[in-house]
Amino acid sequence: MLISEMAVPGAYRVEPEPLSDSRGYFFESVKVSALLAESGWNLAVRQVNFSVSKRNTLRGVHGTKVPPGQAKFITCVRGRALDIAIDIRVGSPTFGHHDVTYQSPETGTAVYLPDGIGHAFLALTDDTCMSYLCSQEYEPGTMIDIDALDPDLALPWNLTEPPIRSAKDAAAPTLAEAAVAGLLPAYDQCRRYPSLLDGLR
């Protein structure tokens, strides 16, 4: 597999190398030792989530307060998705920057997002299913929501019609508003805090 750091430092794109035969194909989605060697994080899974979305559903931008943090390994297991990682770490040299990954089961491409990296995706087909391997169990009241249509973020959704969004996502503050309100994690805090408890950065 090819593991490469994204334009948002600390976030990684994982691209498997499928093996094909008459039955179909097989690939390793992630190997913990390889991710650890490349990123410095040991992938420890404490919760697994799935979301299923209609075409043109826009989910996010979502993050988690630090602590407790919640790193994520995200892949599309059905359908197709335009997946975006956003740096929401106050004080980061790439604060507000993003990187785009197209995900589908055929490619198996996944993203690994540590603490302080926001996540959003647009479902490009009906019945798009995303899998999330999470480093921590969900704790109510710790989620961070940012408007995925924030004009200052200018995320490249290339929408041709209004997206389907939850009321919570539609009412989320802009990145600047969230920063002023003290809702965002600090860059240094995210770099120090080991959200994957079995590994050290």
Side-chain angles (χ1 to χ4, degrees), residues 76-159:
C76 179
V77 296
R78 190 171 61 242
R80 289 186 298 118
L82 190 165
D83 191 276
I84 302 185
I86 305 100
D87 192 342
I88 62 172
R89 300 168 295 189
V90 174
S92 168
T94 55
F95 179 71
H97 291 202
H98 67 268
D99 201 347
V100 175
T101 303
Y102 283 92
Q103 293 200 29
S104 70
E106 291 75 23
T107 66
T109 300
V111 294
Y112 169 74
L113 307 181
D115 293 328
I117 306 300
H119 175 252
F121 76 88
L122 178 69
L124 302 178
T125 65
D126 281 330
D127 205 31
T128 292
C129 183
M130 304 292 281
S131 167
Y132 311 74
L133 306 183
C134 303
S135 67
Q136 298 281 23
E137 295 181 10
Y138 167 72
E139 292 188 23
T142 64
M143 301 305 294
I144 298 169
D145 301 304
I146 297 164
D147 185 3
L149 300 181
D150 177 352
D152 288 336
L153 284 178
L155 302 177
W157 299 117
N158 301 318
L159 296 166

Side-chain angles (χ1 to χ4, degrees), residues 1-6 10-14 31-42 112 201:
M1 67 189 65
L2 175 63
I3 301 175
S4 55
E5 192 167 26
M6 299 167 68
Y12 288 81
R13 186 176 291 111
V14 181
K31 186 177 288 184
V32 170
S33 60
L35 183 63
L36 177 62
E38 188 64 40
S39 71
W41 285 110
N42 184 29
Y112 169 74
R201 190 163 177 76

